[in-house]
Amino acid sequence: MCRIHGYFHTTATPHEMRTVAALQRHGGPDSTGAHHTPHGGVGNNRLAVMGLDGGRQPYHADDRVQIVFNGEIYNHDHLRRRLEQRGHTFPDRCDGTILPALYAEYGDALTDHIDGMYALAVLDRRAEPRLLLATDHLGMKPLYYRFDPATRALHFSSEIPALLGFDAVRAGVRTSGLDAFLALKTPFGEQTMFHGIRALPPATTLVCPYGGTPRLMRRPAPAPAPHPCGDPRELRRTLHDEVGRLLVADVPVAVITSGGLDSGLVTALAARHRPLHSFNIAYRGRWPFDERHFARETAEHAGTVHHQIEADPAGFPDLIEDTVRHLGQPNADPIALSTHVLFRAVREAGFKVALTGDAADEVFGGYDRMRTAAEAAAAGADWTGRYLDALAVLPAARRTTLYTDAYRHHVRTVDPLPPGARHDLVHGPGTALDRITRFELAHRLPAYHLRRVDHLSMAHSVEARLPFCQPRVVAAGRALHDHQRIHDGQVKRTLYAAAEGLVPHSVLTRPKQPFTLPVTAMLAPGTPLWQYTRDHLTPARLREGGALRPEAVQALFTAQAERPDDTTALTLWALLVHEVWRDTFHRRRTEPPAPVGATAAPPSLRSAVPA
């Protein structure tokens, strides 16, 4: 597990590369490597998890091909044996060491042979120089890049703040980003909150010839299993095997246990393989939705050594700023703070790897919005508007009432969804639940969940591994019929059945609730969080931004003080996160001119880029 960065068809000094590496050293504190050529350069920060004494990057067979890699290759032993039969030799058993041989044998198709989570870069100068970037099938390991069409220069890195460390990267605020953020809780697809900085989508290979334009090739997503198998025992065996494979490491491995089904099942299966430590996060004081007793019951049932972590709400103001800085762009889920604190505790306890239960809801149909939409579709009712509103910080009709006239006019024709996503969601093949699942896996899961988990775990040098993202598990879930996922008001039916006997009955029968921060209760007059929010969302700051009506935001404070509700609290939280992000990255920046054909933002909405 590492952090990677580099440049192509431009120059960067060794000092510049060291600066970029330093900005993401938390994700790879064990060693740093870089290689410069006249055509470009690549670098990495290493978090040693496999083959601790080897794995020096950049990997190379000779000086003409340099490879940097972030992630884990779970089938590296199998691939190594196959490549050895073809005459290749390897200096160590680190998983990434096989990549030069894999690229030599299969070229751009090397990703077809990798089972794992990864983002990688190949600088190939054997003939005409070219740069290849690639991401795994679900986007578990993010990769960001900026291509300048004027100079044909390309820069990339694992984290946005590090990418901004390149002298040539000047990226200002994307003015429609606020609307996308409030509509989706974070930007989806290739778009980020920065003008000119893009996220490489999941299952994508980017190839850029020297002096040319990048070409993106989307690889097929994991296909559903050929024959639907609703047998919970078969699903349990598949999960058991995959959890076992993800426990393999040369460093201590732990598990995150939230108190719900998904992490509870991972905990139970992992404990069948080896003695295990589990971690849960709760909050000092008495708050609603406290899950610590469910997590402890799960841990006792599985026989783990359990660690109960407590976060102090009094420290949330400072924590918000640190969290936003590591994420690089706003994410409206208050769980981000909990995630940050939790992985810090995991690392402080001596663990470099932790398994989580993320993605089970997307794969097996676990969200209430999925159930509601599927039931509405079955009844012939329109479901798309309600479903999309469920993804938002607040519904579309209320969202626009927060905007100034100028900003409302600016975003009126800008779809916050990625190109083609809305059409496939409404008119694509399959049932409504099929289309929703495809949308969640392709767009929401990578942007909203996986980037958050990656950035906040790696902020503390912890590798998060996700059994429910494994291709075999995704294929099994995608193959299920609708009624095997959601039926008679019950979600994740097959997964619940697979957990029988492994997870405590109290966890299986408890009402489903999100693993989140009780922000509605915590955002109340008199608390440090309330005052911190008021200090950041002042009328003067809002007028400076030019997008939000100060009187509309003041009305949110009044409503939250007098009759608090989840939507109002989440809206204030999201606006706070956005303002902290502006403070961190943009208050002294200016957006470059809008591209030809784009709608320019009103002058009052623009922010600055240093000259």
Side-chain angles (χ1 to χ4, degrees):
M1 182 64 69
C2 305
R3 283 304 193 231
I4 64 174
H5 53 278
Y7 60 95
F8 189 63
H9 196 256
T10 185
T11 59
T13 66
H15 173 73
E16 195 175 340
M17 286 285 277
R18 285 194 294 270
T19 299
V20 173
L23 286 167
Q24 51 187 10
R25 184 178 182 276
H26 46 263
D30 295 328
S31 65
T32 300
H35 185 84
H36 298 261
T37 79
H39 304 98
V42 292
N44 89 296
N45 307 76
R46 187 185 183 210
L47 178 65
V49 170
M50 298 295 301
L52 306 186
D53 295 332
R56 181 172 178 81
Q57 295 194 41
Y59 304 118
H60 58 91
D62 59 45
D63 282 343
R64 296 177 302 166
V65 177
Q66 301 285 329
I67 301 176
V68 288
F69 164 73
N70 170 29
E72 291 291 341
I73 301 173
Y74 300 125
N75 63 335
H76 67 98
D77 282 335
H78 168 74
L79 292 174
R80 185 178 290 105
R81 289 191 295 270
R82 183 204 301 175
L83 292 165
E84 285 173 339
Q85 291 172 359
R86 298 189 177 205
H88 295 279
T89 59
F90 304 94
D92 55 57
R93 63 175 297 274
C94 180
D95 57 334
T97 309
I98 68 170
L99 288 171
L102 202 64
Y103 183 67
E105 290 289 338
Y106 302 109
D108 296 359
L110 83 164
T111 54
D112 295 344
H113 303 270
I114 299 174
D115 174 12
M117 55 179 180
Y118 60 86
L120 60 85
V122 180
L123 179 58
D124 185 349
R125 299 187 304 122
R126 291 175 299 178
E128 183 69 20
R130 66 202 296 265
L131 176 72
L132 178 146
L133 306 177
T135 51
D136 65 61
H137 62 288
L138 287 181
M140 288 176 277
K141 305 310 295 179
L143 191 61
Y144 304 95
Y145 71 98
R146 182 179 185 271
F147 176 73
D148 184 340
T151 64
R152 304 299 173 96
L154 190 150
H155 297 81
F156 68 90
S157 71
S158 297
E159 298 182 8
I160 288 176
L163 186 58
L164 293 170
F166 282 108
D167 292 343
V169 174
R170 291 292 181 264
V173 63
R174 181 169 66 93
T175 51
S176 60
L178 172 62
D179 183 60
F181 169 59
L182 295 177
L184 301 168
K185 298 181 183 173
T186 200
F188 285 9
E190 295 181 61
Q191 295 281 13
T192 70
M193 295 290 287
F194 296 82
H195 179 83
I197 293 180
R198 306 183 77 82
L200 194 63
T204 297
T205 299
L206 176 154
V207 175
C208 187
Y210 192 71
T213 300
R215 180 167 55 96
L216 273 64
M217 297 166 287
R218 296 298 298 268
R219 308 190 304 273
H227 304 291
C229 180
D231 185 350
R233 295 169 298 181
E234 181 61 31
L235 176 58
R236 181 189 291 193
R237 283 192 290 269
T238 298
L239 281 167
H240 179 271
D241 292 346
E242 294 299 331
V243 166
R245 296 175 70 221
L246 270 58
L247 285 170
V248 176
D250 294 334
V251 295
V253 180
V255 66
I256 304 301
T257 306
S258 70
L261 165 68
D262 309 333
S263 66
L265 183 52
V266 170
T267 300
L269 292 171
R272 288 191 161 195
H273 288 276
R274 62 160 70 172
L276 198 68
H277 287 245
S278 57
F279 288 78
N280 174 261
I281 182 78
Y283 313 100
R284 190 168 300 169
R286 297 180 61 85
W287 303 101
F289 310 118
D290 192 318
E291 295 186 289
R292 74 181 78 198
H293 57 291
F294 290 111
R296 181 165 295 281
E297 189 174 352
T298 297
E300 291 174 351
H301 194 270
T304 69
V305 177
H306 192 58
H307 302 254
Q308 183 60 62
I309 310 304
E310 275 199 343
D312 186 352
F316 283 176
D318 289 339
L319 188 61
I320 290 171
E321 295 174 13
D322 200 36
T323 301
V324 169
R325 178 174 57 83
H326 278 292
L327 289 173
Q329 54 183 347
N331 183 304
D333 195 338
I335 197 180
L337 267 63
S338 314
T339 306
H340 198 13
V341 174
L342 184 57
F343 281 111
R344 181 174 63 199
V346 169
R347 190 69 178 93
E348 289 174 349
F351 295 90
K352 271 191 173 182
V353 176
L355 272 61
T356 82
D358 291 283
D361 286 317
E362 287 82 1
V363 174
F364 292 97
Y367 291 119
D368 186 63
R369 61 177 177 269
M370 289 178 156
R371 177 190 59 79
T372 302
E375 291 172 350
D382 179 34
W383 55 269
T384 53
R386 185 174 178 182
Y387 169 76
L388 291 172
D389 277 345
L391 300 180
V393 170
L394 73 170
R398 292 185 59 186
R399 193 163 65 245
T400 56
T401 65
L402 298 178
Y403 298 158
T404 61
D405 290 343
Y407 191 67
R408 191 182 305 112
H409 176 79
H410 178 66
V411 299
R412 74 190 190 286
T413 59
V414 181
D415 191 346
L417 295 182
R422 186 181 300 271
H423 182 271
D424 186 64
L425 184 64
V426 179
H427 304 293
T431 66
L433 187 55
D434 287 334
R435 300 196 298 276
I436 289 170
T437 300
R438 196 161 57 238
F439 175 86
E440 296 263 355
L441 289 172
H443 302 294
R444 188 174 187 271
L445 177 67
Y448 185 59
H449 286 290
L450 299 182
R451 291 178 199 165
R452 181 181 69 230
V453 170
D454 172 79
H455 291 322
L456 297 180
S457 60
M458 292 294 275
H460 303 290
S461 308
V462 175
E463 173 180 296
R465 295 183 177 180
L466 308 103
F468 288 108
C469 287
Q470 282 297 96
R472 286 178 64 206
V473 178
V474 175
R478 291 288 310 279
L480 294 173
H481 296 301
D482 284 6
H483 72 273
Q484 294 172 317
R485 289 182 281 173
I486 298 175
H487 189 64
D488 285 342
Q490 183 184 352
V491 297
K492 286 190 293 196
R493 295 181 68 242
T494 301
L495 192 62
Y496 270 98
E500 285 285 352
L502 287 175
V503 177
H505 183 70
S506 60
V507 173
L508 292 177
T509 56
R510 61 176 291 210
K512 178 177 171 58
Q513 72 177 56
F515 172 45
T516 190
L517 191 79
V519 68
T520 303
M522 290 182 171
L523 191 57
T527 65
L529 185 59
W530 176 268
Q531 190 56 52
Y532 181 75
T533 306
R534 294 301 304 251
D535 290 345
H536 275 75
L537 299 179
T538 64
R541 279 174 169 259
L542 298 173
R543 279 193 290 270
E544 175 199 319
L548 297 167
R549 296 168 50 237
E551 62 273 22
V553 177
Q554 177 55 49
L556 293 172
F557 280 111
T558 302
Q560 179 65 9
E562 297 176 354
R563 42 187 192 285
D565 69 86
D566 292 345
T567 300
T568 302
L570 181 60
T571 303
L572 286 170
W573 175 271
L575 295 178
L576 167 65
V577 167
H578 183 265
E579 192 63 22
V580 170
W581 172 77
R582 273 176 31 95
D583 272 352
T584 305
F585 292 102
H586 292 302
R587 197 162 287 280
R588 291 175 299 277
R589 297 175 180 252
T590 320
E591 186 175 29
V596 175
T599 303
S604 62
L605 301 182
R606 297 186 182 172
S607 276
V609 156

